[in-house]
Amino acid sequence: MALKSGVSFIRFKRLSHGIRLLSTHTRPEISQNGGKNADFPGVKAPYVTEMKFLNEHSYDPIPIYRVIDNNGEVIERTEEPRIDNETLLNMYKTMVQLNQMDKILYESQRQGRISFYMTNYGEEGIHVGSAAALLPQDMVFAQYRELGVLLYRGMTVTEIINQCYGNHEDPGKGRQMPVHYGSKQRNIATLSSPLATQMPQAVGAAYAFKRAPNNEHCVICYFGDGAASEGDAHAAFNFAATLQCPIILFCRNNGYAISTPTSEQYRGDGIAARGPALGLHTIRVDGTDALAVYRAVERAREIAIQNKPVLIEAMSYRVGHHSTSDDSSAYRPVEEIQKWTQEENPVQKLKLYIEGKGLWNSDTEKQFAKEARDIVLRTMQQAEKKKKPHWKEMLEDVYYDMPPHLQKQMNQMEKHLKKYKEHYPLDQFQSE
Amino acid sequence: MAGLGKKISILGNLVKYVNNGSKRLSSHFVYHPDNEAPVAGETSKMNMMQAINNAMDLTLKSDPTAVLFGEDVGFGGVFRCALGLQEKYGKDRVFNTPLCEQGIAGFGIGLATAGATAIAEIQFADYIFPAFDQLVNEAAKARYRSAGQFACGGLTVRAPCGAVGHGGLYHSQSPEAFFAHAAGLKVVVPRGPIAAKGLLLACIQEQDPCIFLEPKILYRSAAEEVPVDSYTLPLGKAQVLREGDAATLIAWGTQVHVLLEVAEMAEERLGVRCDVIDLMSILPWDVDTVCNSVKKTGRCLIAHEAPLTAGFGAELAATIQEECFLHLEAPVARAAGWDAPFPHVFEPFYLPDRWRCFDALQRLLAYDQQ
C-alpha cells in the first residue's frame, strides 16, 4: 500500500504481485530524533512534529492483478502462467461440471427434492484457479461456496450429491445440511455453518504442518468478505503472522454477504488492506480471471511454505442468490447481475483462452456440457433411491466411544420406536 | 482426617499463600490432601501447579507433536503452570499467542485436526467465553458433523477457575455448567495435585476435546505426595472420598474440601456419617456412583460455587430424582453461589461455605421432623 502524501509519490511501473512499496514521502520531513526510530517496544517509527491523522483515503487502493482480459487474451505475455494443456482442460471442465451441478441441484431444491442449496455462479475462476495451483497434500479449509475447489481436488459428483441428499452413502452420514462437504482422503476439512470459525483452525493446522520435519505443504483457507468481519478472521490474520504459519488466507470478495453490500461491511480498502497492517504478504487479484488466481496462488504457495503467511483477496461478483432461501432481487438491480454474467464471466474468459490455444471448440463444449449434465442427473436419480442412514447414526460419533448416558438414550429411542413406529418415517431409513 | 490443631496450621498456611501474608480474609475451606497414591512407585511432594506442570512436562517429553500455548505461557504462565517448559522444549512447542481467546481455541482445534496434541491455556475461565463458539460449535461437533473424518480429540483446554478470595466478577467464575450442555465435550475439574495430574494426562490422551478447569485457589495451597511417573485417572468416573449412611454430599473442585469438612462437622456435632463424592468429571458424569450412594443414604446435598439456577447441580438433582425416587427420604438439596455475578467484597457471603452447607445438611437430615 502506498501512503498518499498529497504531493507526489513514486510509482513503480512493474509492481511485483501488486504490493506497492512505501513511497519516500511516508518518511517524515521533520524528525526530532535524528532520523532514528523512537524507542517504544510496540513500534519502530520516527517522531514527527506535524500532526496528521490517517484514514482510508490516505492510501491508494491496492490494485487488482489480472492476466487475461475479457476476451481471454493475455495482457502481459510474461505474466502468462505455464500450465500444461491437460491441467487447463481440467480447470475448464471443472467449471462446466460445477455450473451443471449448480443448475440442476438448485432446481431440485426448488422442487423440494433437497432441503437447501448454494450455487457458485461468478466464482468459478477463483475455485479452479486456486485449486489447480495447489498440491493434493495441501489442506483445504473452506467456507461453503467453494464446490469447484472440491471437484477439482477429486471429490466425485456422487459424493457431493449423496451429501446433499443425506443418504447412507453420504460421508457425513446425513448429519449436516446440504453443501457441508468434507473429505479426509482429499484433505478437505469438513465444512461447518458458523462463519470464519475455520480461519484460526486453518492457522493451527498450518502450525502443525510447519512443525512436521521437512514440511513442503501449506494450508489454504477460503472465506468471504462478510466472514472477514468476524472476530475469528482477525484472530486468524494475527495468529498466522505472529506464529509464522505456512498458510494462504484466501478471501472471496463477491460484493455481498447475503443482502449486505460491502459498503455496509467495511469502510477500508477491502480485505486486502488489512493484510500488510497485520504483517501478511498480501495481493489482490481479479477473481474472474482463473489464470491470475492461479499465478497468485502458485506464488503464494512458494512464500507460504517458507512460513510466511499470505493473504489473497480475489474480487468477484456473487451472480447467484446467496442460497435457495434468498431472493437477491430484493436488494440489488438485475442489470448489475447481467453485467457480471455477460461481460465479466469467469467461465467465458477461460473458455476464450483455451479456445485461443486450440484446445476447445463449440463441439467439445456441447459434448462435455451434456456429459456433465447427464452425470449429475444420473447420480441424482441414484442418490434419491438410496435410503438414509440407520437412525442410530444420530447418536454415533458424538464422542469417540459412546458414553453410558448416550447408550441409555439410544435404548430409550429404540423402545419408543418399537411402540410408535408408525409415526416415524422409518421406511426411508436403513434398518438393522 | 486432620485434627483441629493441624487444621488451624493449614489454614494459616493458606492465608499466607493466598493473601501473601495479609490477614484480609481467611480461606473458606481447609485443604484435605489425598493420602493414597493412585499408582505404586516413587512420589514427590508437589502442589497443584507443580503437578500440572509435571503432567505437561511428561506429555511434551513423550509426544513429539504436543504443543503448549496461550497468553503468557512462554515465561511460565501467570500461575507458573508452564514454568521451565519453554527452556526445556523450545519456543516452537511452548509459546505465547496473541491475546485472543477465540484465536487460541480455534488454533488449538486446527492443530488437533491436523493430528497434533494441543494443550491450550485460557488465562482465567472467566475469559473462556470469547472462545465459546469455537468450543461449542466447532470442537464439540467436529467428529459428529464429519462422521469421524475429522476430530479434534487432541485438544485440551486448561483454564483456572473458581473463587480465590478476592477475584471479583472476572477472576472467580466456575463456567462448567455452560459447557455441560455441549454434547461432544468432556469437562473435568480436579480437587488437588494427585487428581490434577491423573485427570489432565487422561484429558490430553483422550480422543475427545476436553475442558480442564483448575481451581486456582489450589495451585499453591494444595500439596500432596504425587507419583512421579505418568498415570491417568479415568474420565467420567467419580470418587467416593468418605463413606457414611446419613446423606450423600456431592461436589467438585475446591468445594469437595468444603464438603469433607462439613462431613467432619456432621460426625462431630451430629454423630452421623456421610458419603462424600468428588464428581471430578462434569461431562459425561458418573451417574452410577452418585445414584448408588443416594440409594444407600436416601438423602443428597449437592454444592457448587457457580450460581444455583441451571448450575450443574440442577442436572444432578433431576437425574437423582428420576433414578432414586423411591429411595429419597428428603428433597435433593443444593447449596450454591447465589444467582448474582461473583462479587468482590461480599465473597464470604456469596460462597456456599461450610456453614451454609452444614445448615443445608442439617435441614436435609431433619426433613421428616419438619
Side-chain angles (χ1 to χ4, degrees):
Chain A
M1 289 187 296
L3 186 67
K4 273 185 189 168
S5 66
V7 197
S8 68
F9 39 95
I10 297 171
R11 289 180 187 274
F12 295 87
K13 216 172 181 190
R14 296 188 52 81
L15 287 171
S16 132
H17 308 295
I19 299 172
R20 282 170 175 259
L21 300 175
L22 283 173
S23 83
T24 51
H25 275 263
T26 61
R27 291 197 180 279
E29 281 154 14
I30 307 157
S31 168
Q32 295 187 331
N33 202 27
K36 285 181 194 153
N37 286 333
D39 214 16
F40 299 105
V43 93
K44 295 283 161 267
Y47 291 112
V48 290
T49 52
E50 182 198 348
M51 186 169 68
K52 191 174 176 186
F53 290 91
L54 305 179
N55 62 23
E56 74 270 27
H57 305 299
S58 306
Y59 301 88
D60 268 356
I62 295 174
I64 303 161
Y65 173 72
R66 73 192 314 207
V67 172
I68 50 174
D69 61 20
N70 292 359
N71 301 317
E73 305 270 359
V74 174
I75 302 160
E76 189 81 57
R77 272 294 143 204
T78 51
E79 293 297 312
E80 184 177 7
R82 272 172 291 214
I83 308 178
D84 61 68
N85 291 347
E86 196 189 335
T87 304
L88 276 173
L89 282 175
N90 199 7
M91 288 167 72
Y92 181 70
K93 285 176 172 177
T94 302
M95 285 176 154
V96 176
Q97 184 69 70
L98 175 63
N99 277 178
Q100 291 297 338
M101 204 148 187
D102 277 353
K103 213 155 91 185
I104 299 164
L105 283 170
Y106 183 84
E107 282 308 316
S108 78
Q109 193 281 336
R110 301 277 96 176
Q111 297 161 9
R113 292 159 78 184
I114 58 173
S115 64
F116 179 79
Y117 194 70
M118 299 178 107
T119 62
N120 299 272
Y121 300 126
E123 301 185 41
E124 302 90 339
I126 289 172
H127 299 186
V128 304
S130 61
L134 297 168
L135 294 185
Q137 294 89 342
D138 296 334
M139 193 166 178
V140 174
F141 284 77
Q143 182 167 303
Y144 49 62
R145 209 184 299 283
E146 293 91 1
L147 181 56
V149 176
L150 279 49
L151 280 171
Y152 191 89
R153 286 176 83 92
M155 264 190 94
T156 62
V157 172
T158 311
E159 283 170 285
I160 287 158
I161 289 177
N162 284 339
Q163 198 283 328
C164 290
Y165 278 91
N167 64 32
H168 73 268
E169 286 182 16
D170 166 18
K173 301 197 175 161
R175 290 175 188 144
Q176 291 212 87
M177 283 173 76
V179 317
H180 291 62
Y181 316 106
S183 172
K184 178 90 181 165
Q185 190 192 339
R186 294 166 195 101
N187 291 311
I188 300 159
T190 301
L191 318 190
S192 72
S193 307
L195 288 181
T197 47
Q198 80 279 14
M199 297 179 67
Q201 294 172 16
V203 177
Y207 192 87
F209 274 41
K210 166 176 149 172
R211 287 207 59 242
N214 311 317
N215 174 50
E216 286 175 358
H217 300 119
C218 71
V219 172
I220 189 162
C221 176
Y222 297 90
F223 55 99
D225 51 272
S229 295
E230 292 282 2
D232 277 325
H234 182 267
F237 291 173
N238 205 20
F239 277 55
T242 56
L243 296 168
Q244 297 168 39
C245 297
I247 187 167
I248 302 169
L249 292 151
F250 195 114
C251 179
R252 299 176 292 98
N253 189 335
N254 62 18
Y256 289 92
I258 305 188
S259 73
T260 307
T262 49
S263 60
E264 291 168 27
Q265 200 65 247
Y266 52 74
R267 281 299 161 94
D269 176 27
I271 311 304
R274 301 172 200 174
L278 285 151
L280 300 169
H281 285 63
T282 301
I283 189 169
R284 176 176 282 156
V285 298
D286 178 358
T288 69
D289 175 352
L291 301 184
V293 175
Y294 180 93
R295 280 275 285 158
V297 173
E298 183 187 41
R299 178 72 193 121
R301 216 190 154 276
E302 290 168 10
I303 299 169
I305 58 175
Q306 298 166 46
N307 301 326
K308 293 172 185 163
V310 180
L311 172 64
I312 298 176
E313 182 182 30
M315 307 311 296
S316 67
Y317 185 85
R318 196 196 73 213
V319 172
H321 302 301
H322 164 70
S323 73
T324 47
S325 311
D326 171 52
D327 174 12
S328 65
S329 65
Y331 50 80
R332 60 181 186 180
V334 181
E335 304 81 61
E336 185 183 291
I337 304 171
Q338 274 169 350
K339 176 188 166 234
W340 290 94
T341 321
Q342 286 154 14
E343 293 161 35
E344 302 283 352
N345 185 326
V347 184
Q348 184 70 11
K349 284 186 198 179
L350 191 64
K351 185 166 94 174
L352 291 171
Y353 176 75
I354 60 170
E355 279 181 353
K357 285 188 158 261
L359 298 171
W360 199 254
N361 57 46
S362 57
D363 288 345
T364 40
E365 172 79 17
K366 220 179 273 172
Q367 193 196 336
F368 185 75
K370 187 181 180 305
E371 276 172 32
R373 184 171 172 271
D374 288 350
I375 190 175
V376 177
L377 288 173
R378 202 167 54 238
T379 311
M380 269 175 61
Q381 282 165 358
Q382 289 161 351
E384 235 158 15
K385 285 187 203 128
K386 285 172 193 155
K387 291 209 167 185
K388 295 187 175 71
H390 194 289
W391 68 265
K392 284 186 175 176
E393 288 293 349
M394 173 174 71
L395 298 180
E396 297 284 352
D397 298 321
V398 179
Y399 294 94
Y400 181 76
D401 287 318
M402 187 178 286
H405 70 286
L406 274 176
Q407 289 174 23
K408 190 178 160 192
Q409 289 170 22
M410 196 183 263
N411 291 338
Q412 285 173 347
M413 190 60 192
E414 194 160 24
K415 278 185 197 145
H416 177 78
L417 285 176
K418 269 191 188 132
K419 204 167 161 190
Y420 291 97
K421 52 179 164 301
E422 67 273 24
H423 302 294
Y424 295 87
L426 278 171
D427 56 327
Q428 295 170 25
F429 291 76
Q430 284 190 312
S431 49
E432 311 275 347
Chain B
M1 289 301 123
L4 193 63
K6 193 168 176 198
K7 260 188 268 178
I8 288 165
S9 79
I10 291 172
L11 202 64
N13 281 339
L14 269 178
V15 171
K16 196 174 83 190
Y17 275 119
V18 174
N19 297 320
N20 287 328
S22 107
K23 289 180 183 168
R24 189 171 56 215
L25 188 67
S26 67
S27 173
H28 71 280
F29 71 100
V30 176
Y31 188 72
H32 290 67
D34 275 0
N35 295 318
E36 280 173 46
V39 288
E42 194 192 333
T43 63
S44 171
K45 186 100 170 170
M46 297 182 203
N47 60 27
M48 197 171 85
M49 172 269 279
Q50 290 163 329
I52 288 164
N53 181 283
N54 179 240
M56 297 195 293
D57 190 356
L58 290 168
T59 303
L60 289 161
K61 194 187 289 173
S62 64
D63 177 355
T65 73
V67 291
L68 172 59
F69 54 93
E71 294 157 15
D72 304 301
V73 163
F75 89 117
V78 296
F79 288 108
R80 318 311 287 146
C81 289
L83 196 64
L85 297 179
Q86 190 179 65
E87 293 84 70
K88 206 163 166 183
Y89 296 100
K91 278 189 168 173
D92 75 315
R93 302 196 62 194
V94 180
F95 51 91
N96 291 336
T97 64
L99 203 164
C100 179
E101 287 77 13
Q102 64 194 108
I104 293 169
F107 183 80
I109 293 168
L111 274 162
T113 304
T117 299
I119 308 171
E121 179 177 305
I122 300 293
Q123 202 158 70
F124 286 85
D126 310 64
Y127 307 128
I128 205 166
F129 300 111
F132 200 70
D133 182 40
Q134 284 286 353
L135 295 172
V136 173
N137 270 333
E138 296 291 319
K141 298 172 175 55
R143 182 187 300 283
Y144 186 76
R145 71 175 180 225
S146 69
Q149 291 190 85
F150 294 94
C152 54
L155 173 68
T156 303
V157 178
R158 298 175 38 239
C161 73
V164 71
H166 45 83
L169 280 76
Y170 306 112
H171 298 83
S172 308
Q173 292 182 60
S174 299
E176 65 271 10
F178 287 105
F179 293 104
H181 202 54
L185 292 180
K186 295 203 167 173
V187 183
V188 178
V189 189
R191 67 169 181 279
I194 291 176
K197 179 174 170 182
L199 290 171
L200 180 55
L201 283 169
C203 283
I204 292 167
Q205 291 160 26
E206 181 61 41
Q207 305 260 28
D208 297 304
C210 295
I211 295 181
F212 191 73
L213 298 169
E214 302 164 358
K216 67 182 90 65
I217 201 167
L218 303 178
Y219 276 139
R220 288 168 179 277
S221 63
E224 286 162 3
E225 285 293 331
V226 180
V228 174
D229 289 339
S230 187
Y231 64 93
T232 58
L233 293 174
L235 302 183
K237 291 277 175 246
Q239 274 184 5
V240 182
L241 300 179
R242 193 184 153 101
E243 292 197 60
D245 53 14
T248 300
L249 313 183
I250 308 168
W252 48 93
T254 318
Q255 195 67 22
V256 169
H257 303 287
V258 175
L259 289 190
L260 283 167
E261 195 180 355
V262 168
E264 286 162 26
M265 290 159 73
E267 192 166 0
E268 285 162 21
R269 292 164 188 249
L270 310 173
V272 298
R273 290 184 61 86
C274 296
D275 268 8
V276 177
I277 295 177
D278 178 2
L279 197 65
M280 300 206 290
S281 283
I282 307 298
L283 183 70
W285 64 282
D286 187 349
V287 179
D288 287 349
T289 299
V290 165
C291 290
N292 286 341
S293 169
V294 178
K295 281 175 187 167
K296 177 182 76 175
T297 63
R299 293 168 210 265
C300 180
L301 167 67
I302 303 153
H304 54 69
E305 290 181 10
L308 180 76
T309 299
F312 197 66
E315 179 60 35
L316 290 172
T319 304
I320 290 165
Q321 177 273 135
E322 197 179 345
E323 298 289 327
C324 313
F325 189 68
L326 294 175
H327 301 268
L328 284 174
E329 291 171 44
V332 177
R334 287 182 288 158
W338 305 118
D339 286 337
F342 198 109
H344 186 220
V345 301
F346 307 116
E347 180 168 321
F349 303 100
Y350 181 85
L351 283 174
D353 66 359
R354 75 198 80 162
W355 296 110
R356 277 179 58 202
C357 291
F358 183 67
D359 186 39
L361 176 62
Q362 271 188 308
R363 281 184 280 120
L364 192 64
L365 294 172
Y367 183 75
D368 335 49
Q369 288 107 56
Q370 274 168 10

